[in-house]
Every structure is written in structure tokens, then in C-alpha cells.
Amino acid sequence: MQRGALLDAARSLLSEGGTEALTFPALAERTGLARSSVYEYFRSRAAVVEELCAVDFPVWAAEVEAAMEVADTPEAKIEAYVRRQLALVGDRRHRAVVAISAGELDAGAREKIRAAHGGLIAMVVEALEGLGHEQPRLAAMLLQGVVDAAVRRIELGAAEEPGRIIEAAVSMALRGVRG
């Protein structure tokens, strides 16, 4: 129960202030625990982020997969893949996934997260194969790069409205640079 409260507090902190806001004193304050108690559950901020990713990433991936499953053409599946990921940007669970870029995770944690991302990319490979793409795995990784760039743009509060960023990312995914 305490572990869940700590994870929920971590989600809130990440959502409100990014990785800088995720500190053990802040976790203790949010949960009403002593700071030393937080250390009983997690050895570091990286461990908190790693667990958040382990808990939240599968839920996020399942939402992307569910959106793709209801699409009936390869193009619609690719569009659902992009749109669902970008729709999740505002979700508190997403902040944990984004926090992995903070660079403070150890190699083992980064590898686990890379493997989870690989599962996400694998979802769209079949749709790209359905389009007859010659290198569907490479195309899927590049497509994820477009999604990741759109995520960063939305999170930075770019000059463009999030809806315009999403539409541009979908257009890039479906039509390439021709728009």
C-alpha cells in the first residue's frame, strides 16, 4: 500500500515539475512518510522511475495496442499508433516514461526500458509490412522517432497547439515529408 502511494506521489511530482521535482523529501511530504521510510522502498530516484516505467509502460502500451486493434487498415493502424501515443502525453503515467531521458538510470534499467520500447515498435511493424514496406522494422523505429519528437514538442509547450503537432506527426507518418 505504501509503495503504491509512493508511486502515485512520484507520478504527481513528475507531472507537476519533471524529474527535478522527484526528490525523496518531496515523496515523503506527499505521502506523510518519514524520508528514511522512502529509502526502505526505493534506493534512489532512478529506482522510483524504473518501477514507474515497469508498472506504467505496459498499461500505456496496451492502450496503444487496443487503439490499433480497432483500426481496420494498415494506414489506420499506423494513425492509431501515432495518435494514441500523443494523446497519452498529458497522462501522469507518461511522465514516468519520459523521465527515463533524465540519464540517471543504470545500464540495466535502461536496457529494460529499451526492451519495453522495442515491444511498442513491434506493434507497428506488422502494419508497415501490410503496406508492403521493404524495411518495416527500420521504418517502425523511424516512425517512433517522429512520435518521440512530437512528444518533446508538446511537452516543451511549443508555439504550435498540441493538436497541430499531432496532425503534423500523423501526416509525416502517413505521407512522409510531402505532407
PDB file of all heavy atoms in Angstrom, residues 115-130:
ATOM      1  N   ALA A 115      13.921  -2.477 -24.047  1.00  0.00           N
ATOM      2  CA  ALA A 115      13.182  -3.682 -24.444  1.00  0.00           C
ATOM      3  C   ALA A 115      11.680  -3.405 -24.481  1.00  0.00           C
ATOM      4  O   ALA A 115      10.980  -3.854 -25.393  1.00  0.00           O
ATOM      5  CB  ALA A 115      13.490  -4.825 -23.485  1.00  0.00           C
ATOM      6  N   ALA A 116      11.186  -2.665 -23.502  1.00  0.00           N
ATOM      7  CA  ALA A 116       9.765  -2.315 -23.489  1.00  0.00           C
ATOM      8  C   ALA A 116       9.415  -1.466 -24.702  1.00  0.00           C
ATOM      9  O   ALA A 116       8.384  -1.669 -25.348  1.00  0.00           O
ATOM     10  CB  ALA A 116       9.409  -1.585 -22.200  1.00  0.00           C
ATOM     11  N   HIS A 117      10.283  -0.515 -25.044  1.00  0.00           N
ATOM     12  CA  HIS A 117      10.059   0.309 -26.230  1.00  0.00           C
ATOM     13  C   HIS A 117      10.081  -0.555 -27.492  1.00  0.00           C
ATOM     14  O   HIS A 117       9.341  -0.295 -28.435  1.00  0.00           O
ATOM     15  CB  HIS A 117      11.120   1.414 -26.338  1.00  0.00           C
ATOM     16  CG  HIS A 117      10.573   2.763 -26.080  1.00  0.00           C
ATOM     17  ND1 HIS A 117      10.657   3.369 -24.851  1.00  0.00           N
ATOM     18  CD2 HIS A 117       9.919   3.632 -26.877  1.00  0.00           C
ATOM     19  CE1 HIS A 117      10.087   4.549 -24.912  1.00  0.00           C
ATOM     20  NE2 HIS A 117       9.625   4.734 -26.126  1.00  0.00           N
ATOM     21  N   GLY A 118      10.944  -1.559 -27.491  1.00  0.00           N
ATOM     22  CA  GLY A 118      11.007  -2.475 -28.631  1.00  0.00           C
ATOM     23  C   GLY A 118       9.677  -3.174 -28.848  1.00  0.00           C
ATOM     24  O   GLY A 118       9.251  -3.389 -29.984  1.00  0.00           O
ATOM     25  N   GLY A 119       8.998  -3.509 -27.757  1.00  0.00           N
ATOM     26  CA  GLY A 119       7.682  -4.112 -27.866  1.00  0.00           C
ATOM     27  C   GLY A 119       6.674  -3.158 -28.473  1.00  0.00           C
ATOM     28  O   GLY A 119       5.810  -3.562 -29.260  1.00  0.00           O
ATOM     29  N   LEU A 120       6.784  -1.897 -28.142  1.00  0.00           N
ATOM     30  CA  LEU A 120       5.903  -0.879 -28.703  1.00  0.00           C
ATOM     31  C   LEU A 120       6.157  -0.756 -30.207  1.00  0.00           C
ATOM     32  O   LEU A 120       5.207  -0.729 -31.006  1.00  0.00           O
ATOM     33  CB  LEU A 120       6.154   0.456 -27.996  1.00  0.00           C
ATOM     34  CG  LEU A 120       5.194   1.584 -28.257  1.00  0.00           C
ATOM     35  CD1 LEU A 120       3.789   1.226 -27.808  1.00  0.00           C
ATOM     36  CD2 LEU A 120       5.657   2.843 -27.548  1.00  0.00           C
ATOM     37  N   ILE A 121       7.400  -0.720 -30.591  1.00  0.00           N
ATOM     38  CA  ILE A 121       7.757  -0.605 -32.007  1.00  0.00           C
ATOM     39  C   ILE A 121       7.293  -1.841 -32.777  1.00  0.00           C
ATOM     40  O   ILE A 121       6.804  -1.732 -33.900  1.00  0.00           O
ATOM     41  CB  ILE A 121       9.274  -0.363 -32.161  1.00  0.00           C
ATOM     42  CG1 ILE A 121       9.597   1.064 -31.684  1.00  0.00           C
ATOM     43  CG2 ILE A 121       9.733  -0.581 -33.593  1.00  0.00           C
ATOM     44  CD1 ILE A 121      11.061   1.367 -31.524  1.00  0.00           C
ATOM     45  N   ALA A 122       7.395  -3.016 -32.150  1.00  0.00           N
ATOM     46  CA  ALA A 122       6.966  -4.250 -32.817  1.00  0.00           C
ATOM     47  C   ALA A 122       5.500  -4.203 -33.205  1.00  0.00           C
ATOM     48  O   ALA A 122       5.091  -4.829 -34.192  1.00  0.00           O
ATOM     49  CB  ALA A 122       7.247  -5.447 -31.915  1.00  0.00           C
ATOM     50  N   MET A 123       4.697  -3.455 -32.459  1.00  0.00           N
ATOM     51  CA  MET A 123       3.264  -3.353 -32.761  1.00  0.00           C
ATOM     52  C   MET A 123       3.008  -2.775 -34.149  1.00  0.00           C
ATOM     53  O   MET A 123       2.047  -3.145 -34.807  1.00  0.00           O
ATOM     54  CB  MET A 123       2.564  -2.442 -31.745  1.00  0.00           C
ATOM     55  CG  MET A 123       2.439  -2.984 -30.388  1.00  0.00           C
ATOM     56  SD  MET A 123       1.567  -1.727 -29.398  1.00  0.00           S
ATOM     57  CE  MET A 123       2.056  -2.251 -27.775  1.00  0.00           C
ATOM     58  N   VAL A 124       3.837  -1.857 -34.560  1.00  0.00           N
ATOM     59  CA  VAL A 124       3.576  -1.166 -35.818  1.00  0.00           C
ATOM     60  C   VAL A 124       4.286  -1.833 -37.000  1.00  0.00           C
ATOM     61  O   VAL A 124       3.957  -1.564 -38.152  1.00  0.00           O
ATOM     62  CB  VAL A 124       3.918   0.341 -35.691  1.00  0.00           C
ATOM     63  CG1 VAL A 124       5.402   0.595 -35.790  1.00  0.00           C
ATOM     64  CG2 VAL A 124       3.141   1.164 -36.688  1.00  0.00           C
ATOM     65  N   VAL A 125       5.208  -2.741 -36.728  1.00  0.00           N
ATOM     66  CA  VAL A 125       5.930  -3.429 -37.808  1.00  0.00           C
ATOM     67  C   VAL A 125       4.952  -4.171 -38.720  1.00  0.00           C
ATOM     68  O   VAL A 125       5.048  -4.090 -39.949  1.00  0.00           O
ATOM     69  CB  VAL A 125       7.010  -4.386 -37.253  1.00  0.00           C
ATOM     70  CG1 VAL A 125       7.570  -5.293 -38.344  1.00  0.00           C
ATOM     71  CG2 VAL A 125       8.136  -3.596 -36.603  1.00  0.00           C
ATOM     72  N   GLU A 126       3.986  -4.862 -38.140  1.00  0.00           N
ATOM     73  CA  GLU A 126       3.023  -5.618 -38.945  1.00  0.00           C
ATOM     74  C   GLU A 126       2.223  -4.701 -39.870  1.00  0.00           C
ATOM     75  O   GLU A 126       1.981  -5.039 -41.034  1.00  0.00           O
ATOM     76  CB  GLU A 126       2.079  -6.396 -38.035  1.00  0.00           C
ATOM     77  CG  GLU A 126       1.138  -7.307 -38.793  1.00  0.00           C
ATOM     78  CD  GLU A 126       0.255  -8.124 -37.872  1.00  0.00           C
ATOM     79  OE1 GLU A 126       0.663  -8.422 -36.738  1.00  0.00           O
ATOM     80  OE2 GLU A 126      -0.860  -8.457 -38.311  1.00  0.00           O
ATOM     81  N   ALA A 127       1.839  -3.538 -39.368  1.00  0.00           N
ATOM     82  CA  ALA A 127       1.101  -2.592 -40.215  1.00  0.00           C
ATOM     83  C   ALA A 127       1.977  -2.120 -41.367  1.00  0.00           C
ATOM     84  O   ALA A 127       1.498  -1.993 -42.500  1.00  0.00           O
ATOM     85  CB  ALA A 127       0.616  -1.410 -39.379  1.00  0.00           C
ATOM     86  N   LEU A 128       3.242  -1.886 -41.099  1.00  0.00           N
ATOM     87  CA  LEU A 128       4.156  -1.453 -42.160  1.00  0.00           C
ATOM     88  C   LEU A 128       4.393  -2.578 -43.166  1.00  0.00           C
ATOM     89  O   LEU A 128       4.508  -2.323 -44.368  1.00  0.00           O
ATOM     90  CB  LEU A 128       5.470  -0.960 -41.549  1.00  0.00           C
ATOM     91  CG  LEU A 128       5.336   0.363 -40.792  1.00  0.00           C
ATOM     92  CD1 LEU A 128       6.504   0.580 -39.852  1.00  0.00           C
ATOM     93  CD2 LEU A 128       5.198   1.520 -41.772  1.00  0.00           C
ATOM     94  N   GLU A 129       4.437  -3.806 -42.679  1.00  0.00           N
ATOM     95  CA  GLU A 129       4.524  -4.951 -43.595  1.00  0.00           C
ATOM     96  C   GLU A 129       3.286  -5.001 -44.476  1.00  0.00           C
ATOM     97  O   GLU A 129       3.372  -5.288 -45.667  1.00  0.00           O
ATOM     98  CB  GLU A 129       4.666  -6.257 -42.811  1.00  0.00           C
ATOM     99  CG  GLU A 129       6.033  -6.442 -42.178  1.00  0.00           C
ATOM    100  CD  GLU A 129       6.105  -7.626 -41.217  1.00  0.00           C
ATOM    101  OE1 GLU A 129       5.042  -8.130 -40.762  1.00  0.00           O
ATOM    102  OE2 GLU A 129       7.239  -8.038 -40.911  1.00  0.00           O
ATOM    103  N   GLY A 130       2.112  -4.721 -43.879  1.00  0.00           N
ATOM    104  CA  GLY A 130       0.859  -4.705 -44.625  1.00  0.00           C
ATOM    105  C   GLY A 130       0.839  -3.663 -45.730  1.00  0.00           C
ATOM    106  O   GLY A 130       0.126  -3.814 -46.722  1.00  0.00           O
TER     107      GLY A 130
END
